[in-house]
Amino acid sequence: MQGVVGVAEQYGVKMETAAATITMLGKQGIIGSRAGTYTRSMMESLYVPTSAKAEKVMKTIDFSMFDKAGNVRDNLEGILDLAEKLKKYDPQSQARMIDSLFPAWGAKAFRSIFNDIDGFIAKQKEAGEQAGLLTKQNEELAKSTRYQLQQLGADWSNLLTQAGSGNEMLAEPIKALRDALKDPNTIQTLKSIVTSIVELGAFAARNADAV
């Protein structure tokens, strides 16, 4: 997935769309970083034609990933629109057009979708549901983490108070630590670290079949 992040950020490609594409490629034995590279190639070619032939095909079938106002279209909507336009042609013409629209890697990724549109839509929906579940889990985690960090701060504060009692040498460093644990920025940083670790683990679990 790392290879898709750049184009995803640039054109607003949804992670569930990228994940669904990678899953479709996995059915053809294209997995791991290769799947990410193929997906990136396809996505980039949809938004930026790679050749005069690609531009000609897009003009011929009246396709663009941008609307008339120049705004980027929803990537799933655009992919499905392209598939519908290509279906109007015979298989030989479809093959030529796909080869003109995409480099070899991108063409492989698009064909994995084009040959099983229903499967792609199902995987897109599945990835979206998983993303929604992850968001809910993260919200619950944030609440739980915030409470646990507050408790931890209180416990540390009490411990530091006891440790520094009657010891002037420890008074200043203990006060600094106690103040840090009360600082909202410190709490937020710790919460962000924990949340990021959980998100990374959940992402790896969701995409284990594509590695």
Side-chain angles (χ1 to χ4, degrees), residues 89-141:
Y89 297 85
D90 61 80
Q92 291 77 17
S93 297
Q94 291 173 0
R96 287 196 299 270
M97 288 180 173
I98 292 173
D99 288 337
S100 295
L101 286 169
F102 305 98
W105 290 347
K108 189 77 172 180
F110 182 77
R111 283 194 172 94
S112 72
I113 296 172
F114 187 65
N115 294 333
D116 187 5
I117 292 294
D118 290 340
F120 173 69
I121 294 175
K123 290 299 180 182
Q124 164 87 18
K125 182 179 179 181
E126 180 182 319
E129 291 173 347
Q130 290 176 342
L133 178 60
L134 178 60
T135 298
K136 183 177 180 180
Q137 290 174 337
N138 284 339
E139 290 174 352
E140 294 175 352
L141 172 67

Side-chain angles (χ1 to χ4, degrees), residues 147-174:
Y147 173 75
Q148 292 174 13
L149 287 174
Q150 288 172 348
Q151 289 297 109
L152 179 62
D155 291 343
W156 268 100
S157 182
N158 292 333
L159 179 61
L160 292 173
T161 298
Q162 294 173 15
S165 179
N167 193 327
E168 295 182 1
M169 292 182 63
L170 293 176
E172 284 302 317
I174 286 175

Side-chain angles (χ1 to χ4, degrees), residues 49-112:
T50 56
S51 67
K53 285 184 178 181
E55 293 179 351
K56 182 178 180 180
V57 170
M58 287 186 176
K59 185 176 181 179
T60 298
I61 64 177
D62 190 26
F63 171 79
S64 176
M65 287 298 287
F66 299 88
D67 61 24
K68 293 181 179 179
N71 300 312
V72 177
R73 298 172 63 189
D74 176 82
N75 42 89
L76 176 61
E77 173 191 310
I79 290 171
L80 296 181
D81 179 38
L82 175 58
E84 283 300 312
K85 290 180 183 299
L86 289 174
K87 284 182 180 180
K88 297 177 181 178
Y89 297 85
D90 61 80
Q92 291 77 17
S93 297
Q94 291 173 0
R96 287 196 299 270
M97 288 180 173
I98 292 173
D99 288 337
S100 295
L101 286 169
F102 305 98
W105 290 347
K108 189 77 172 180
F110 182 77
R111 283 194 172 94
S112 72

